[in-house]
Amino acid sequence: MHAKNEADQWIENHSEQLEKSKAEINQLEANLIKEEAELDKIRDSLKDKTEVFHAQIVVKQKELEPWTAKVNKKQAEIDLVTNERNMLAEKAEAVQNAVDEAVKTVESLMTDKEAKIAELRSLEEEKENVQAELSSCDKKLKNIEEQERKHRSKVMGARQKADEAKASQAASTSQNAVLDNLKKLKATGRFHGRLGDLGTIPDKYDIAISTACSALNYLVVDEVAQGQACLDYLHQQNIGRANIFVLEKLPSTIPAVQTPENAPQLFDLIKLKDLKFAPALYKAIRDTLVANNLEQANRIAFRGQRRWRVVTLTGQLIDVSGTMSGGGTKVSKGVTSL
């Protein structure tokens, strides 16, 4: 645009000069015509005297030569200015065409820009919709995963209960089968029965004794021969297996101990039907102590130089090795005759 303005200014300046030059040429042409007319007049009046005035004509022609040169010079200047003006006009036209093309390009770009802006807005709205849908799907997925965890936990709990029930039922069935078949021998005095059935314990300590003493399911006999007879009978009848306490092989003395915090021994809490079964009961329970809760159990289990085997009223057991067992949804109970 700046180049176009400069070209227009240049054309305007040289147009004024061109007009002045044209005016001078017109004046010179007028003078030339006037002189030629005068010359023709002289020639006409002196036709017969040509030779006489030839010298005068030559002089006049010489006088006209400077004017002819001036006319030619001015015409050359005019031609030069005209060419320059035409060149500048072409440049101005080219600049104008370029400007017009640039304007069209800008307009096209602006149109494309508006279209892109509209497309961007549409994509942003679509993005927001997709994000909202994705957020909703995430919430649904989390809810489904949470429900799946709950259901899985319920299924695992139910499966664990079912497995425990099956195992308990199988063990109970086997134990009952052994006891039922050995009742015939019991009548002959060859064995006394199941250790857990030979004593009672207050209901308060039922879970503790059932957790801490799995040997309450062992059988009790007086002599080795009686025990062997029971095992042979079970083998012959293909009934099952049994563990047996033989009283004659067990120490008859029960050591007295001082317990931490005067915690009761499970052994002292059971009332036996006959004191002769005490060695078998002590063999099964040893110096296991009873604690009211896990805090007390931890406190007394590792107190002093000696470690103690401690069971809580709710069935949590700390062994002398330091291992702890318990938890779950099912507790052991009912292994004594109460």
Side-chain angles (χ1 to χ4, degrees), residues 52-327:
V52 178
F53 297 103
H54 181 70
Q56 295 180 5
I57 294 172
V58 172
V59 172
K60 290 295 182 180
Q61 287 178 342
K62 288 182 179 180
E63 291 177 355
L64 289 175
E65 286 179 359
W67 294 103
T68 301
K70 289 182 179 181
V71 169
N72 291 337
K73 182 180 179 181
K74 290 297 181 182
Q75 186 62 49
E77 292 177 356
I78 291 172
D79 293 340
L80 178 61
V81 172
T82 300
N83 289 335
E84 291 178 351
R85 185 190 66 177
N86 292 337
M87 291 176 62
L88 290 173
E90 290 176 358
K91 286 184 178 180
E93 184 178 0
V95 170
Q96 185 61 46
N97 290 336
V99 170
D100 294 340
E101 186 67 24
V103 170
K104 291 180 181 179
T105 302
V106 171
E107 291 176 351
S108 177
L109 291 174
M110 290 299 293
T111 302
D112 291 343
K113 177 183 176 182
E114 293 176 356
K116 293 296 183 183
I117 291 174
E119 183 179 358
L120 178 60
R121 290 174 180 171
S122 176
L123 291 174
E124 287 177 348
E125 292 178 357
E126 184 177 354
K127 176 184 176 183
E128 291 178 356
N129 293 335
V130 170
Q131 288 178 338
E133 185 176 355
L134 180 61
S135 177
S136 177
C137 290
D138 286 340
K139 291 180 180 179
K140 291 180 180 179
L141 179 59
K142 289 180 180 178
N143 291 335
I144 292 174
E145 290 176 346
E146 182 64 25
Q147 292 178 4
E148 181 186 6
R149 281 194 292 269
K150 292 180 179 179
H151 291 318
R152 191 183 298 274
S153 177
K154 290 181 180 179
V155 169
M156 291 179 64
R159 185 174 296 168
Q160 181 179 358
K161 290 180 179 179
D163 292 341
E164 291 175 352
K166 288 179 181 178
S168 177
Q169 183 179 10
S172 177
T173 300
S174 176
Q175 185 68 29
N176 291 336
V178 170
L179 293 174
D180 289 343
N181 282 274
L182 290 179
K183 282 181 179 179
K184 301 173 184 178
L185 298 179
K186 184 178 181 181
T188 64
R190 299 172 69 178
F191 93 106
H192 300 291
R194 176 176 163 273
L195 178 60
D197 295 333
L198 302 178
T200 59
I201 192 170
D203 183 63
K204 175 181 179 180
Y205 303 105
D206 181 25
I207 294 176
I209 188 66
S210 299
T211 302
C213 189
S214 60
L216 290 176
N217 287 318
Y218 285 19
L219 305 181
V220 181
V221 299
D222 290 326
E223 301 173 354
V224 173
Q226 295 170 347
Q228 188 62 50
C230 292
L231 294 178
D232 291 342
Y233 181 80
L234 294 176
H235 178 71
Q236 292 169 4
Q237 302 298 321
N238 194 25
I239 299 171
R241 299 175 61 84
N243 295 303
I244 301 176
F245 283 128
V246 180
L247 294 178
E248 70 174 358
K249 293 295 183 178
L250 297 176
S252 59
T253 59
I254 309 298
V257 295
Q258 181 65 37
T259 63
E261 301 183 12
N262 293 320
Q265 289 182 268
L266 271 177
F267 177 81
D268 295 331
L269 299 174
I270 297 176
K271 183 178 181 181
L272 292 170
K273 295 179 180 180
D274 193 325
L275 290 179
K276 72 175 184 178
F277 302 130
L281 180 62
Y282 183 76
K283 178 69 174 178
I285 301 177
R286 293 292 182 178
D287 295 324
T288 302
L289 307 183
V290 182
N292 293 322
N293 49 54
L294 186 59
E295 181 181 356
Q296 184 187 21
N298 275 298
R299 191 169 60 247
I300 65 178
F302 308 107
R303 190 167 187 173
Q305 297 295 324
R306 177 177 177 178
R307 290 191 173 187
W308 296 86
R309 188 171 187 260
V310 186
V311 65
T312 67
L313 296 177
T314 56
Q316 295 160 309
L317 179 65
I318 301 176
D319 211 331
V320 291
S321 64
T323 59
M324 180 184 298
S325 61

Side-chain angles (χ1 to χ4, degrees), residues 42-57:
I42 293 172
R43 284 177 178 175
D44 290 339
S45 63
L46 299 175
K47 284 181 181 180
D48 296 334
K49 303 177 181 180
T50 302
E51 294 180 1
V52 178
F53 297 103
H54 181 70
Q56 295 180 5
I57 294 172

